[in-house]
Amino acid sequence: MNRNRMIGFALAALIFVADQAMKAFVVEGLGLDHPGAVREILPFFDLRFVANIGVSLGLLPAETAATRWALVGLTALIAAGVCWWMLREKNRQDMFALSLVLGGALGNIVDRVRFGYVVDYADLHFGEWRPFLVFNVADAAITIGVLILLIRALFVREKPKAQATGSEGAPVENANA
């Protein structure tokens, strides 16, 4: 495995561990262990326990055991696809973005398997206005990773590798031909 892949999978593991550690700290360390429990940290940031049974923006709510496990399976397939992509990716920036997505996906999958929901807790707000839903480290990592991939796909064009040139700038022909 090349160095970029090793770093990529290590970063995914780090995101996973950070996500799980922060969730444990909020739920067990701070005692925010039931829906609605809240602790104000700053006037614009609270830690608020939310048991998220859906995915982003409340889509695909898993209200039954069958839909819960279907969602676990779907996200596991996506995580497997990201792993496959990482094993083939050569671009360091894309590898970084994929690492964020994989680490976050694994963190949320573990929550769904253990609890039947994802533990969300980060509540950024300005008065009553909330620019985001309540989220966690995994959600932030997934969002940032996907944004990086989208920006790179839409706006960044890789320059083709320069062809070997002679002294006049013309391509060098194979002398053995």
Side-chain angles (χ1 to χ4, degrees):
M1 187 179 303
N2 79 18
R3 186 171 189 262
N4 283 343
R5 283 188 192 88
M6 287 177 45
I7 292 171
F9 283 108
L11 177 59
L14 181 65
I15 294 294
F16 170 77
V17 169
D19 174 66
Q20 292 296 298
M22 189 63 189
K23 288 171 180 173
F25 173 71
V26 168
V27 173
E28 296 163 17
L30 296 178
L32 301 175
D33 58 357
H34 60 279
V38 64
R39 178 168 294 177
E40 182 179 324
I41 304 300
L42 297 168
F44 56 87
F45 184 77
D46 299 334
L47 294 177
R48 177 181 310 274
F49 184 97
V50 173
N52 182 358
I53 62 168
V55 294
S56 296
L57 304 174
L59 301 173
L60 301 173
E63 296 170 332
T64 67
T67 56
R68 167 190 173 191
W69 291 108
L71 193 52
V72 167
L74 176 65
T75 52
L77 280 174
I78 292 168
V82 170
C83 281
W84 179 82
W85 187 355
M86 287 176 70
L87 289 170
R88 283 148 184 76
E89 184 58 55
K90 292 178 179 28
N91 183 285
R92 189 177 5 190
Q93 291 84 9
D94 288 348
M95 181 66 71
F96 172 75
L98 291 166
S99 300
L100 295 175
V101 173
L102 179 60
L106 294 175
N108 283 344
I109 288 169
V110 166
D111 279 14
R112 278 192 205 292
V113 169
R114 286 179 63 201
F115 309 121
Y117 55 83
V118 172
V119 175
D120 288 337
Y121 54 82
D123 183 16
L124 178 66
H125 60 86
F126 302 96
E128 293 300 313
W129 182 67
R130 286 172 166 75
F132 309 106
L133 296 175
V134 178
F135 60 98
N136 59 42
V137 169
D139 297 338
I142 292 167
T143 301
I144 293 166
V146 168
L147 284 174
I148 291 169
L149 290 170
L150 284 173
I151 289 167
R152 288 188 45 73
L154 296 173
F155 302 111
V156 177
R157 300 286 179 235
E158 298 298 325
K159 295 179 184 172
K161 291 187 179 183
Q163 189 177 24
T165 58
S167 58
E168 287 82 38
V172 175
E173 293 185 30
N174 186 345
N176 298 326

